[in-house]
Amino acid sequence: MGLQTTIYIIVGLTFALYIGIAIWSRAGSTKEFYVAGGGVHPVLNGMATAADWMSAASFISMAGLIAFMGYGGSLFLMGWTGGYVLLATLLAPYLRKFGKYTVPDFFKTRYYSNGAAVVAVLCLLIASITYIIGQMTGVGVAFSRFLQVDKTTGVIVGMAIVFTYAVFGGMKGITYTQVAQYCVLIIAYVIPAIFISMHLTGNPIPQLGLGSHFTGSDMYLLDKLDQVVTELGFAKYSTSVRISKLNMFVYTLSLMIGTAGLPHVIMRFFTVPKVRDARASAGWALLFIAILYTTAPAVGAMARLNLHTTLNKALLTGGDVFAPENNIKYEDRPGWFKRWEVTGLLKFTDKNGDGRIQYYNDKNKAFQAKAEAAGWKGNELVVNRDIMVLANPEIAKLPNWVIGLVAAGGLAAALSTAAGLLLAISSAISHDLLKNFLMPDLSEKGELMAGRIAMACSIIVAGYLGLNPPDFAAGTVAIAFGLAASSLFPAIMMGIFSKTMNRQGAIAGMLAGIIFTMFYVFGYKGLFFIKGTAYFPKPVNGYWFLGIEPNAIGAIGALLNFIVAFIVKNMTAPVPEDIAEMVENVRYPKGAGEAAAGH
């Protein structure tokens, strides 16, 4: 059976499973639509949370960025994992104890203000739509490879499928679909990693293989990778940092606190019956997430090694990397190379006309001199970082069923988070904006319809921007995390842990944080990520304002949020006594029972 047929069969079976579950668990009420009826078992909720959490950015893009950023890419691991721990231990149980359906509901109650809820809705929409742009980028990558079409067609097909089961299933359908998607994506991620680790190191456990000897030599795998990349003019894999240590620190912090402010993950903790179950499901989710996050560094390193050694034979044999016979001929390129060329995500340009592929760092002036002496005229290959995980099993020549499984896993990851984000957007518009403020007489049926229309509009906008994203999938998601970090996270933290924070302070802090962050991000990435509208000069030699890139600026926005909030709080009326008492009761362990059903 051919590779493409195998992929169709495996992906088709998984899709049939998702659609069947979505139909079986179709939402029939607003409570089922928003919080799956509130009766999901903690283990299942942990799986669904993990699937919600591990988006296309985690499955498809993160290991690809690590593969090319080396040690610097570890910021994604530290930021996202640390953020989840922060969310699970500090925020989720308390938010669940409030017993509200959505994050803006929390703001309305805690800050005794419709205005605070409206500002929270706006922040939520900005962060969620930016996040879903990254997901649609991943959807486009996965579908373009699956269907062997260009990325534009891949995004459009992905939009249609996400729309189908997210719109009709609501949170109930999405929850049980995500349980199945978690099983598919984690198997798809781990199995090829085991195969490749066995091949490169002889150790079947990828996490241990990363620290093992390279097969047939006395060199450690990472030492071998350092040797390979430096022979082609790239920076050392194991020591390179992302721009600067300050930028890496702020970037990691931004991802960490942004995680704790993301509405689609927070909503997950409203789907279990009790506060105790929220804590349990958070623990299960952490375990499920850790499986992928501890595997990703090995996947990234091994993918990078396999890519270079496939294109330049001298990197394994120890020969001359400049010798023509060691650079493969374009006409002899492997099948995976041809298949990814179709998507437009792998591009070759024969700059010196020798018919061979020279892939190296032509920005390294010292190496460039040697390359020119060998007749090389510049790097000839552009590899989109987002393809590395999906292409990795093909590059490693794994069996067709493994390649099909990875394709199914990539699609599962991309679709699961996109659906969760659409639900967060839908509930923010139909429930928090329309039902609570603009149209209080809206019927339950009308609210459901409004939510589905909001989903449809959101996916069209995200799909359009996903065709021209501001960064790779994980980079775009990092911007979304920065927006959430600068706006929602400080207000939620102060809402839980500060009895004195009032509505004026919270509103002023959120506005200051998100306006500052958006101003900085749009300055470099373009207004609403539209190409050609950036108003800051292009960074020269990697220089940014304060040395911090836009993807990392959310942490500074969060700091500004805290400062403005406390200044304004001290200049305005104090918090009412009943609100201060409520905050005290929420943090106090007693009374942790079932949440109120009404809202």
Side-chain angles (χ1 to χ4, degrees):
M1 186 181 296
L3 170 61
Q4 203 57 33
T5 305
T6 305
I7 293 177
Y8 287 149
I9 291 174
I10 294 177
V11 173
L13 288 174
T14 58
F15 269 48
L17 177 65
Y18 306 151
I19 293 171
I21 291 173
I23 294 172
W24 166 73
S25 56
R26 189 172 186 272
S29 67
T30 49
K31 189 172 182 182
E32 288 184 344
F33 191 81
Y34 293 130
V35 293
V40 179
H41 191 278
V43 176
L44 296 181
N45 198 47
M47 285 187 180
T49 304
D52 223 353
W53 178 249
M54 293 185 294
S55 61
S58 294
F59 187 100
I60 296 174
S61 189
M62 182 173 67
L65 286 180
I66 293 173
F68 287 90
M69 291 167 66
Y71 168 74
S74 63
L75 63 89
F76 290 101
L77 299 171
M78 294 185 289
W80 282 337
T81 308
Y84 185 80
V85 173
L86 188 67
L87 172 63
T89 56
L90 283 184
L91 300 184
Y94 301 112
L95 287 171
R96 178 63 184 83
K97 201 172 174 183
F98 266 92
K100 300 301 176 184
Y101 278 0
T102 66
V103 175
D105 270 347
F106 164 80
F107 279 84
K108 181 180 177 182
T109 303
R110 168 57 185 86
Y111 291 114
Y112 48 99
S113 162
N114 288 340
V118 170
V119 173
V121 169
L122 294 176
C123 296
L124 183 155
L125 290 174
I126 292 168
S128 296
I129 289 176
T130 305
Y131 197 159
I132 206 170
I133 292 170
Q135 299 310 308
M136 295 316 296
T137 304
V139 166
V141 173
F143 273 99
S144 61
R145 172 62 190 91
F146 165 50
L147 298 173
Q148 282 291 274
V149 295
D150 62 83
K151 185 183 169 187
T152 301
T153 307
V155 169
I156 293 171
V157 172
M159 287 166 60
I161 291 177
V162 171
F163 175 81
T164 300
Y165 76 82
V167 165
F168 292 105
M171 180 61 96
K172 186 179 178 184
I174 288 172
T175 295
Y176 292 108
T177 303
Q178 285 176 334
V179 171
Q181 288 170 331
Y182 173 76
C183 296
V184 171
L185 75 86
I186 200 65
I187 291 171
Y189 203 84
V190 172
I191 285 183
I194 291 173
F195 273 102
I196 295 170
S197 181
M198 276 288 290
H199 175 68
L200 294 180
T201 68
N203 194 322
I205 303 173
Q207 292 86 344
L208 299 180
L210 186 63
S212 301
H213 285 98
F214 184 63
T215 301
S217 77
D218 57 357
M219 294 181 72
Y220 284 103
L221 179 80
L222 287 176
D223 289 337
K224 179 64 180 177
L225 183 53
D226 277 341
Q227 181 191 63
V228 164
V229 296
T230 52
E231 284 191 32
L232 294 172
F234 295 100
K236 259 186 151 183
Y237 186 88
S238 57
T239 57
S240 59
V241 298
R242 175 67 179 172
I243 298 177
S244 68
K245 289 182 179 177
L246 172 65
N247 183 72
M248 270 195 72
F249 172 76
V250 176
Y251 204 148
T252 304
L253 184 62
S254 180
L255 294 178
M256 191 177 291
I257 61 178
T259 299
L262 283 175
H264 74 293
V265 178
I266 293 174
M267 284 177 67
R268 275 267 146 239
F269 299 102
F270 300 144
T271 63
V272 290
K274 299 176 182 176
V275 176
R276 182 179 58 195
D277 295 334
R279 294 180 190 273
S281 62
W284 281 110
L286 187 59
L287 173 66
F288 296 137
I289 289 168
I291 297 173
L292 187 143
Y293 271 60
T294 56
T295 308
V299 171
M302 294 174 187
R304 180 79 180 273
L305 185 62
N306 274 333
L307 176 67
H308 285 303
T309 55
T310 299
L311 299 176
N312 193 314
K313 300 171 187 173
L315 296 170
L316 276 184
T317 60
D320 179 7
V321 296
F322 298 106
E325 65 273 16
N326 286 328
N327 296 274
I328 67 168
K329 292 180 179 177
Y330 180 68
E331 63 183 21
D332 295 333
R333 65 195 186 286
W336 63 265
F337 196 112
K338 297 174 183 174
R339 289 187 285 273
W340 280 103
E341 278 185 306
V342 173
T343 67
L345 299 169
L346 184 69
K347 297 175 182 174
F348 169 73
T349 305
D350 192 4
K351 294 181 178 176
N352 61 355
D354 67 350
R356 293 180 181 274
I357 302 170
Q358 283 101 39
Y359 181 42
Y360 65 104
N361 181 15
D362 57 6
K363 304 292 188 296
N364 182 335
K365 292 182 179 177
F367 187 84
Q368 181 63 13
K370 299 178 186 175
E372 287 178 357
W376 295 5
K377 302 296 183 185
N379 174 46
E380 298 181 332
L381 192 65
V382 177
V383 183
N384 188 300
R385 293 356 180 199
D386 290 341
I387 76 170
M388 290 304 292
V389 169
L390 296 181
N392 195 25
E394 296 181 78
I395 298 172
K397 301 176 182 177
L398 296 185
N400 286 353
W401 68 268
V402 178
I403 298 170
L405 192 60
V406 173
L411 291 168
L415 296 177
S416 61
T417 304
L421 286 166
L422 284 174
L423 191 72
I425 294 169
S426 162
S427 63
I429 293 175
S430 63
H431 178 71
D432 300 311
L433 208 56
L434 295 181
K435 180 72 176 179
N436 284 352
F437 302 115
L438 302 179
M439 302 170 67
D441 296 330
L442 189 65
S443 67
E444 186 172 292
K445 187 177 178 181
E447 188 181 341
L448 280 174
M449 180 57 69
R452 286 165 175 153
I453 292 172
M455 278 188 179
C457 295
S458 301
I459 201 166
I460 290 171
V461 172
Y464 172 76
L465 293 173
L467 294 173
N468 295 290
D471 207 326
F472 298 111
T476 306
V477 168
I479 295 172
F481 276 59
L483 293 167
S486 65
S487 56
L488 296 173
F489 171 77
I492 293 173
M493 282 290 288
M494 292 184 288
I496 294 173
F497 295 102
S498 170
K499 290 190 296 183
T500 61
M501 181 49 62
N502 60 15
R503 66 184 178 201
Q504 294 90 339
I507 292 172
M510 283 192 287
L511 290 174
I514 201 159
I515 289 172
F516 166 79
T517 304
M518 289 174 66
F519 177 75
Y520 191 81
V521 171
F522 289 165
Y524 288 108
K525 302 284 185 180
L527 285 169
F528 300 98
F529 310 121
I530 296 172
K531 303 287 183 187
T533 59
Y535 42 81
F536 287 155
K538 192 173 181 179
V540 178
N541 297 325
Y543 176 79
W544 306 88
F545 176 67
L546 298 177
I548 298 170
E549 62 186 311
N551 295 15
I553 202 66
I556 306 300
L559 179 62
L560 182 65
N561 185 329
F562 278 116
I563 293 172
V564 170
F566 277 100
I567 290 174
V568 173
K569 180 209 66 168
N570 290 329
M571 297 171 62
T572 49
V575 171
E577 289 186 8
D578 60 320
I579 297 296
E581 186 178 346
M582 178 183 68
V583 174
E584 181 72 19
N585 289 336
V586 165
R587 293 213 312 272
Y588 193 61
K590 288 184 179 179
E594 292 192 12
H599 60 285

